[in-house]
Amino acid sequence: DQQVKQNSPSLSVQEGRISILNCDYTNSMFDYFLWYKKYPAEGPTFLISISSIKDKNEDGRFTVFLNKSAKHLSLHIVPSQPGDSAVYFCAAKLTYSGAGSYQLTFGKGTKLSVIP
Amino acid sequence: DVKVTQSSRYLVKRTGEKVFLECVQDMDHENMFWYRQDPGLGLRLIYFSYDVKMKEKGDIPEGYSVSREKKERFSLILESASTNQTSMYLCASRVGGTSSYEQYFGPGTRLTVT
């Protein structure tokens, strides 16, 4: 059962416009969320994160919004640039302590293409 | 900068071979992880280790084992490689405790089993 879902496998956006990547989760015990970016033939790199006690976190062109009641988060990239073209993964961490708390559960990813 | 290195970028092995994938991190991180990435399936956790000599199964441990004899090194072992283990393998590490949950990834090893 997939607990972190990225329902859009791909997204195309014009350069300079806003990119919005979405992520839904089913487990209300997730308390921390991260976004990763992955280029082909490279490992994922951390982009931005948000704790469940917040509803927004911003870092430069990247903003993550969290709607706990809807179990939904989104990543906004403004303005989008061709170098942002990559696969974006949403990840979530469970609340409980113990060995399990170190794990992240990843979505399947959304491939973003920014068209010049 | 955190650096996570993996022993090979590309590897081709035959069915039934024993395969070792090595991962080394240079930031004294307590936790280390092995994932595999397949098209349409995202990143799936195979095993992780929260300390030296400690290991925990992830979501898909079958057919794999791990070893962590030193803090900086985490090895993934395919006991008898099969074609369905053809995949991109990613190693990651993170600092222990609750200060940060961010994981740092290596460049990946593309393993092909023929």
Side-chain angles (χ1 to χ4, degrees), chain B residues 33 57 99 106-107:
Chain B
F33 307 82
K57 292 180 180 178
S99 60

Coordinates of all heavy atoms in Angstrom, one line a residue, chain B residues 33 57 99 106-107:
Chain B
F33 N 21.8 3.9 4.6 CA 20.7 3.3 3.9 C 21.1 2.7 2.5 O 21.9 3.3 1.9 CB 19.6 4.3 3.7 CG 19.2 5.1 4.9 CD1 20.0 6.1 5.4 CD2 18.1 4.7 5.7 CE1 19.6 6.9 6.5 CE2 17.7 5.4 6.8 CZ 18.5 6.5 7.2
K57 N 15.8 -4.4 8.4 CA 15.2 -4.6 7.1 C 14.3 -3.4 6.7 O 13.7 -2.8 7.5 CB 14.4 -5.9 7.1 CG 15.2 -7.2 7.3 CD 14.3 -8.4 7.3 CE 15.1 -9.6 7.5 NZ 14.2 -10.8 7.5
S99 N 18.2 16.1 14.9 CA 18.5 17.4 14.5 C 18.1 17.6 13.0 O 17.8 18.7 12.6 CB 19.9 17.7 14.7 OG 20.8 16.8 14.0
G106 N 24.6 8.9 -2.5 CA 25.7 8.7 -3.4 C 25.2 8.8 -4.8 O 24.0 9.0 -5.1
P107 N 26.1 8.7 -5.8 CA 25.8 8.8 -7.2 C 25.0 7.6 -7.8 O 24.5 7.7 -8.9 CB 27.1 9.0 -7.9 CG 28.1 8.3 -7.0 CD 27.6 8.5 -5.6

